[in-house]
Amino acid sequence: MGAGHGHRLHFHGHSVVHRAPAHLKVLALLAFVLVVVATPRDWYAAYAVHLAVLVGVIVAARVPFGYLLPRMVIEVPFLLFAGLIPFIAEGPRVAVPMPGGWELSLSESGLVAAWGLAVKGTLGVLASLTLAATTEPTDVLRGLQRLHVPDLLVQIMSFMVRYLDVVTGDLGRMVTAMRSRGVDPRSPRHWPALARTLGALFVRSYERGERVHLAMLSRGYDGRLPDPEPTAGAAR
Amino acid sequence: MHVPDGFLDAPTSVATGVVAAAGVGVALRKARAELDDRTAPMAGLVAAFVFAGQMINFPVGAGTSGHLLGGALAAVLVGPWTGALCISVVLLVQSLFMADGGLTALGTNITLMAIVGAFVGYAVFRLVLAVLPRRAGSVPVAAAAGAFVSVPTAAAVFTLLFAIGGTADVATGKVLAAMVGWHVVIGIGEAIVTGLVVSAVIASRPDLVHGARGLATRAPLVTSEAAA
């Protein structure tokens, strides 16, 4: 598909974590985040243990933190929300002295809640990033298959992943064409032009799906995909 | 606005996970009944389209930006079941491959954006379409109405979940007012873009728009294939 190995979050490597079976990694991630979410937020020591486990895995995976940290910005809107909670939550308030001689009145339970949201969300994002950085998409899909996720669902996901770069590339070229004609897709003034672009993108994607289906039929598709090759990353 | 891990407590996350799994299971069967063996490539490509559409950010004000959620749009374009399925797949891929939205919150995200988003959007779309004149031109208006209602409704359902399994001691009324108020603004943008996109597709390929079935104004093209 013109695109190289992996995807935008994958960090190429050959560590133990990279080589571990994908279905075990998905299960481990699910178990880890469930434990994190279920940990009472005032068990501060437990979070240190969670973080230590996660950091251990990342170190074993030899994925640099400088690679993972910038990708955590995805979480920023929720950190902002968490930051608001101490101001709006109920319960007894504490006064936090601020530089300049004034005091900030914050909800005590809100502070604890904000800490809980921030730490759980951050651990979750970092753990998910670690899975994405160490596992090729095809391996994740194969792992889901082994976990008995419905076959049709895995097939749909695999088509989405396979054609994602094609469709986003299509859109990218259309947006470039719009910009070169003086249209700013972000501005509401130009929403009609943007909407026509998205409409065209939908028609193109839908028709591409029809062509892909016909091509599959001509190769003997009968509603089931052949078992993927046993080796990861083999040429298709 | 993907809910991350830890926003809702574990029992609520598991419960929404069960709801989402059941919803996706039914959607798989219904989409299969509609698309037959075209399901995998078609739903996959529509999911890729929804993902691409979500990449365009709009400034919402106060330095933040929002993007198209696409639940109502997908429901009107490809039908509510396939639409909900496509949005679910987008959320699954975002959660597993892009760390966008927590894995434990996946059920919540699918319930809110795929199930509530697509079905509330589609129900309102059908209701509005029923009272408008039976013309292809009514479809984008009805789609916009569906999109406008679906976004604050999803926000209200989130507030309900937050009241049940929220991890912060915030008055439900405050959360409801903030969430719904904010999402009414987002809903206006969603409605305008949804209506315009549906209208653009109807202008070029009215036959592709699920919600416009039976309303296509062009005379059918008789071909040897159709006659056979």
Side-chain angles (χ1 to χ4, degrees), chain B residues 59-199:
Chain B
V60 190
T64 57
S65 64
H67 64 73
L68 197 66
L69 301 175
L73 177 64
V76 171
L77 287 178
V78 293
W81 293 108
T82 311
L85 183 60
C86 292
I87 307 278
S88 306
V89 168
V90 170
L91 293 167
L92 258 166
V93 167
Q94 284 174 332
S95 162
L96 277 172
F97 298 81
M98 294 154 197
D100 192 2
L103 198 54
T104 56
L106 187 56
T108 309
N109 282 320
I110 289 181
T111 305
L112 291 177
M113 278 185 266
I115 299 177
V116 173
F119 279 94
V120 170
Y122 194 74
V124 173
F125 166 75
R126 277 285 158 210
L127 281 176
V128 173
L129 198 60
V131 299
L132 288 176
R134 283 185 59 80
R135 279 201 307 250
S138 305
V139 176
V141 180
F148 175 69
V149 176
S150 72
V151 176
T153 307
V157 175
F158 171 78
T159 310
L160 182 74
L161 291 176
F162 198 71
I164 298 169
T167 48
D169 184 19
V170 184
T172 306
K174 272 188 197 170
V175 182
L176 188 68
M179 284 294 286
V180 172
W182 184 240
H183 284 85
V184 163
V185 179
I186 297 178
I188 293 172
E190 179 96 0
I192 296 171
V193 176
T194 300
L196 288 171
V197 172
V198 169
S199 137

Side-chain angles (χ1 to χ4, degrees), chain B residues 46-61:
Chain B
V46 173
F49 158 74
V50 171
F51 180 86
Q54 289 186 347
M55 282 171 46
I56 297 178
N57 283 299
F58 312 106
V60 190

Side-chain angles (χ1 to χ4, degrees), chain A residues 7 9 41 78 81 88-90 113 117 124 132 137 155 164 168 171 186 191 194-195 198 206-207 209 213 221, chain B residues 2 4-7 37-38 40 42 45 49 51-52 55-59 97-98 104 167 169 171 174 196 205 208:
Chain A
H7 56 131
L9 285 184
R41 56 197 170 208
F78 287 93
F81 181 87
I88 59 171
E90 314 289 306
L117 286 185
Q155 280 187 38
L164 203 53
T168 53
L171 179 66
R186 285 173 58 93
W191 277 0
L194 174 70
L198 286 178
Y206 197 93
E207 289 176 345
H213 172 245
Y221 179 67
Chain B
H2 296 15
D5 288 310
F7 238 65
D37 66 345
R38 296 191 302 153
M42 298 310 296
L45 261 298
F49 158 74
F51 180 86
M55 282 171 46
I56 297 178
N57 283 299
F58 312 106
F97 298 81
M98 294 154 197
T104 56
T167 48
D169 184 19
K174 272 188 197 170
L196 288 171
R205 287 289 304 271
L208 291 193

Side-chain angles (χ1 to χ4, degrees), chain A:
Chain A
M1 289 306 115
H5 271 296
H7 56 131
R8 50 210 90 187
L9 285 184
H10 190 256
F11 184 84
H12 186 74
H14 298 281
S15 70
V16 191
V17 184
H18 281 82
R19 280 187 320 234
H23 64 286
L24 295 184
K25 281 194 269 190
V26 172
L27 280 184
L29 172 64
L30 185 61
F32 178 77
V33 285
L34 266 180
V35 168
V36 168
V37 169
T39 306
R41 56 197 170 208
D42 46 1
W43 292 14
Y44 301 106
Y47 287 100
V49 175
H50 296 329
L51 184 65
V53 170
L54 192 52
V55 168
V57 172
I58 295 172
V59 168
R62 295 201 209 102
V63 177
F65 285 94
Y67 180 87
L68 294 178
L69 293 181
R71 286 165 175 79
M72 293 181 70
V73 292
I74 209 156
E75 202 207 354
V76 166
F78 287 93
L79 290 183
L80 291 179
F81 181 87
L84 277 179
I85 288 178
F87 295 94
I88 59 171
E90 314 289 306
R93 326 273 300 176
V94 286
V96 181
M98 296 295 284
W102 57 291
E103 287 183 337
L104 205 54
S105 165
L106 297 174
S107 155
E108 239 176 294
S109 67
L111 279 174
V112 179
W115 143 261
L117 286 185
V119 73
K120 289 178 185 184
T122 306
L123 284 170
V125 169
L126 196 56
S128 302
L129 278 174
T130 309
L131 174 78
T134 58
T135 321
E136 295 271 8
T138 47
D139 293 329
V140 176
L141 291 169
R142 214 167 289 145
L144 293 180
Q145 225 162 19
R146 287 201 63 175
L147 293 174
H148 297 289
V149 172
D151 190 47
L152 187 57
L153 192 59
V154 178
Q155 280 187 38
I156 299 174
M157 287 175 74
S158 77
F159 275 102
M160 177 186 164
V161 170
R162 193 174 300 174
Y163 284 96
L164 203 53
D165 288 329
V166 177
V167 174
T168 53
D170 251 1
L171 179 66
R173 284 185 293 278
M174 288 195 246
V175 168
T176 306
M178 285 167 73
R179 285 191 201 279
S180 67
R181 286 165 179 79
V183 175
D184 172 17
R186 285 173 58 93
S187 152
R189 222 155 44 89
H190 293 141
W191 277 0
L194 174 70
R196 277 194 293 277
T197 303
L198 286 178
L201 186 71
F202 170 74
V203 173
R204 281 189 191 187
S205 308
Y206 197 93
E207 289 176 345
R208 191 186 294 280
E210 288 175 331
R211 289 197 303 276
V212 169
H213 172 245
L214 290 178
M216 286 159 65
L217 284 185
S218 73
R219 288 162 177 79
Y221 179 67
D222 58 357
R224 298 169 49 85
L225 285 188
D227 285 333
E229 315 95 285
T231 51
R236 260 188 291 274

